[in-house]
Amino acid sequence: QWIDTIAQTLPELPDSRRKTYIEKLGLSYDDANVLTESKHLSDFFERVIQLETPAKAAANWLMGPTTAYLKENKLEISQSYVTPENIRDIAQSVESGALSSTTAKQVLLEVLQHGGQVSTIIQEQGLLQISDEAGLKDMVVKVLTDNPTQLDSYRAGKTKLRQFFFGETMKATKGKANPQIINKILDELLDTNL
C-alpha cells in the first residue's frame, strides 16, 4: 500500500508526459518533446491547458516566442513574469481576431519581461486589431484610388502588385488591420471598377 501512496505523489516522468501529450492532447512528437525538456515548462503548459486553452495553441505560444526568449536570457519559465493566464489570454485574443499574431508576440514579450494583464497591455499600447469590414473597405478603396498607375498595371496583368496594395493598407492602419479581411476586400475590389 505504501508503494501506491509514493507512486501517487511522484511527479509524472517526461516519457509519460510526452506520451500523454501525443495520445490525449494530439500534439506532435516534436511539440511534446520540446514541452517535456524542462519540468518547469511542462508544469506551466499543463496549468495553461487547465484554463481551457486548446493544447495546440498553448504549445505554439510556449514553444515559439516563449522558449526563444527563455533560451536567449538563460531563464526557466518560472523566472519570467509570464503567467498561465497570460498565455490563455493571448491565445484567445488571436483566436477571436482581437490581436494579430504579430502583435500577440509583442504582448507576449511584454508579459515575459515585465508581467501584467494582456487586456491592459492591449488597451494601453493601442494594439487591438482592426476588424471593422466597412472601415477597412474605405481604407482599401483609398489605397487603390491613390495609386491609379499601380491599379492599371495590376489589371493589365501585373498581379504581383496585389501585395503592394496589401502593404499600403497595412501601412495606413499601422499594421493593425486584420489581414484576412484586407485580403477578402482586395479580392472583391481589384477586379471591379471603383
Side-chain angles (χ1 to χ4, degrees), residues 54-71:
K56 186 63 181 159
N60 287 343
W61 287 108
L62 285 174
M63 290 185 325
T66 303
T67 54
Y69 172 82
L70 296 173
K71 283 180 183 174

Side-chain angles (χ1 to χ4, degrees), residues 20-87:
T20 301
Y21 294 173
I22 294 166
E23 292 176 3
K24 293 199 171 126
L25 300 177
L27 298 181
S28 70
Y29 176 82
D30 290 340
D31 290 354
N33 207 32
V34 170
L35 290 168
T36 55
E37 278 177 6
S38 151
K39 181 178 178 343
H40 294 287
L41 186 61
S42 194
D43 289 346
F44 191 94
F45 169 71
E46 290 184 10
R47 289 200 308 274
V48 174
I49 60 173
Q50 284 169 357
L51 296 170
E52 298 181 15
T53 310
K56 186 63 181 159
N60 287 343
W61 287 108
L62 285 174
M63 290 185 325
T66 303
T67 54
Y69 172 82
L70 296 173
K71 283 180 183 174
E72 186 179 310
N73 293 283
K74 297 176 177 57
L75 297 172
E76 282 287 349
I77 197 154
S78 56
Q79 297 170 305
S80 75
Y81 291 98
V82 73
T83 66
E85 291 78 13
N86 291 150
I87 299 296

